[in-house]
Amino acid sequence: MADHSYRGRFAPSPTGPLHFGSLVTALASYVEAKCHQGQWLVRIEDLDPLRESPQATEQILHSLTCHGLIPDEPVRFQSRRHDAYQNAITTLLDKGLAYRCACSRKQLQQHQGRHPERCRDGKSQPGDRPFAVRFALGDEVSHWHDELLGEQIQKVTAELDDPVILRKEGFYAYQLAVVVDDIDQGITDVVRGSDLLEMTAQQQQIYRALGATPPRWLHIPVILNARGQKLSKQNHAPALDDRQPASNLVRALEALGQQPPTGLRHATVQGILDWSVEHWRRQAIPLTSR
Ligand code: GLU
């Protein structure tokens, strides 16, 4: 289906080198974009210098290149976008849709997630204490359609779920930056791991608060290791072997339920990507993690 307005992206946080699970996500978002004759972008979500390294960014970009996953526009780095996030926060504060919060984690726990200082109502100001900025969610039962998983119903509870958008340490948070950049880059379709599924209803409210229409979402099952844990840097998922891009891509296609022919692993990287776009069957992607 040709949809020249389609704009997708792969947006890794550089907490470590690319592993097999992230290749599966990258490949799915790439192929979805190319099947729609759309654009595919890469954005490095380097918001947290305490957990991330420039070396990981280099490794991720190198791995993507080795696997033929070349973006259609220059790579964007969130570390260079602080002004945009600050503007969004100012807008939200001005509209009364965000608030400064000096409550400690302990205080919130002791009050079952309620804010004892009534910071949400603007009743108390942090003064010179360190504060976070939180987005003020509205109570909502969100009904939305995931392009793979179908109808979703997600409950959002004002105050209890209010996400931090600027951390006390001064770092901008994922929940805000991902929305600001997806809006700014004109992303129409987000393909990402289902570990982020539950973030979606909150993100829809942030889109609306910033005056934008949410994109379509397609969440693919996360890849599990032999012990049933999500493949992630925290679980020490091994880095991809960049010397074997063809077999990595074929394994990723298999994980996505695409049944590549046996001989495909002997094709070139570009040959495998072309096969993927030509034979892509979204409905073959398994709905549950494996
Ligand atoms: N940066 C996020 C991550 O690596 C993904 C963001 C997204 O796709 O929405 O988990």
Side-chain angles (χ1 to χ4, degrees):
M1 198 203 325
D3 175 3
H4 299 283
S5 63
Y6 184 114
R7 283 170 69 81
R9 54 43 166 203
F10 174 58
S13 306
T15 49
L18 215 61
H19 55 74
F20 181 67
S22 26
L23 178 68
V24 170
T25 306
L27 180 64
S29 69
Y30 173 91
V31 177
E32 275 284 330
K34 297 298 163 182
C35 280
H36 290 86
Q37 295 171 14
Q39 304 282 301
W40 183 71
L41 314 185
V42 171
R43 184 170 72 229
I44 299 291
E45 302 211 317
D46 49 353
L47 289 169
D48 183 348
L50 303 179
R51 287 182 58 228
E52 301 158 352
S53 72
Q55 194 198 1
T57 295
E58 289 307 313
Q59 287 170 325
I60 290 172
L61 294 176
H62 181 254
S63 275
L64 289 173
T65 306
C66 290
H67 290 81
L69 300 171
I70 313 290
D72 294 305
E73 291 179 9
V75 174
R76 173 173 287 201
F77 296 89
Q78 288 193 325
S79 54
R80 302 179 194 164
R81 296 268 305 148
H82 290 180
D83 289 353
Y85 309 140
Q86 190 52 55
N87 287 342
I89 287 178
T90 307
T91 305
L92 295 173
L93 284 169
D94 287 350
K95 287 187 180 174
L97 292 170
Y99 59 95
R100 296 177 181 83
C101 167
C103 298
S104 66
R105 198 168 298 172
K106 195 165 163 208
Q107 272 179 309
L108 291 172
Q109 261 167 12
Q110 283 167 349
H111 293 83
Q112 289 76 42
R114 303 273 166 211
H115 291 249
E117 302 206 21
R118 313 267 314 271
C119 36
R120 196 179 199 269
D121 319 328
K123 290 276 185 297
S124 98
Q125 287 298 325
D128 50 13
R129 290 173 298 160
F131 63 88
V133 177
R134 287 178 185 267
F135 180 74
L137 291 166
D139 280 318
E140 185 185 29
V141 180
S142 169
H143 292 253
W144 58 279
H145 178 82
D146 184 275
E147 298 294 309
L148 179 68
L149 306 174
E151 293 314 306
Q152 301 295 311
I153 302 177
Q154 285 177 341
K155 189 165 184 281
V156 170
T157 308
E159 188 171 1
L160 294 190
D161 294 335
D162 287 353
V164 169
I165 54 178
L166 175 65
R167 291 164 49 189
K168 274 188 188 162
E169 302 89 342
F171 304 138
Y172 297 97
Y174 158 71
Q175 214 41 344
L176 176 81
V178 72
V179 173
V180 169
D181 278 324
D182 281 341
I183 294 172
D184 184 69
Q185 295 189 287
I187 299 300
T188 59
D189 290 78
V190 170
V191 176
R192 62 183 181 188
S194 54
D195 51 326
L196 295 166
L197 186 64
E198 63 193 34
M199 301 287 202
T200 311
Q202 292 188 14
Q203 290 173 4
Q204 288 166 349
Q205 290 202 20
I206 301 178
Y207 270 89
R208 294 200 298 264
L210 293 172
T213 311
R216 287 177 287 261
W217 278 281
L218 188 163
H219 288 88
I220 56 167
V222 293
I223 304 295
L224 304 180
N225 66 17
R227 273 175 286 157
Q229 300 162 323
K230 180 193 163 199
L231 275 193
S232 69
K233 292 120 198 177
Q234 289 80 358
N235 290 328
H236 309 294
L240 277 178
D241 182 349
D242 288 335
R243 291 163 308 176
Q244 303 191 23
S247 74
N248 294 336
L249 285 169
V250 169
R251 274 175 53 226
L253 283 172
E254 284 165 356
L256 288 162
Q258 301 298 306
Q259 302 184 326
T262 341
L264 194 64
R265 66 186 65 245
H266 304 299
T268 60
V269 162
Q270 194 53 51
I272 297 172
L273 294 177
D274 291 345
W275 183 92
S276 311
V277 174
E278 204 175 318
H279 295 88
W280 185 243
R281 289 192 313 125
R282 184 191 271 178
Q283 63 280 15
I285 303 174
L287 298 185
T288 49
S289 299
R290 48 158 79 172

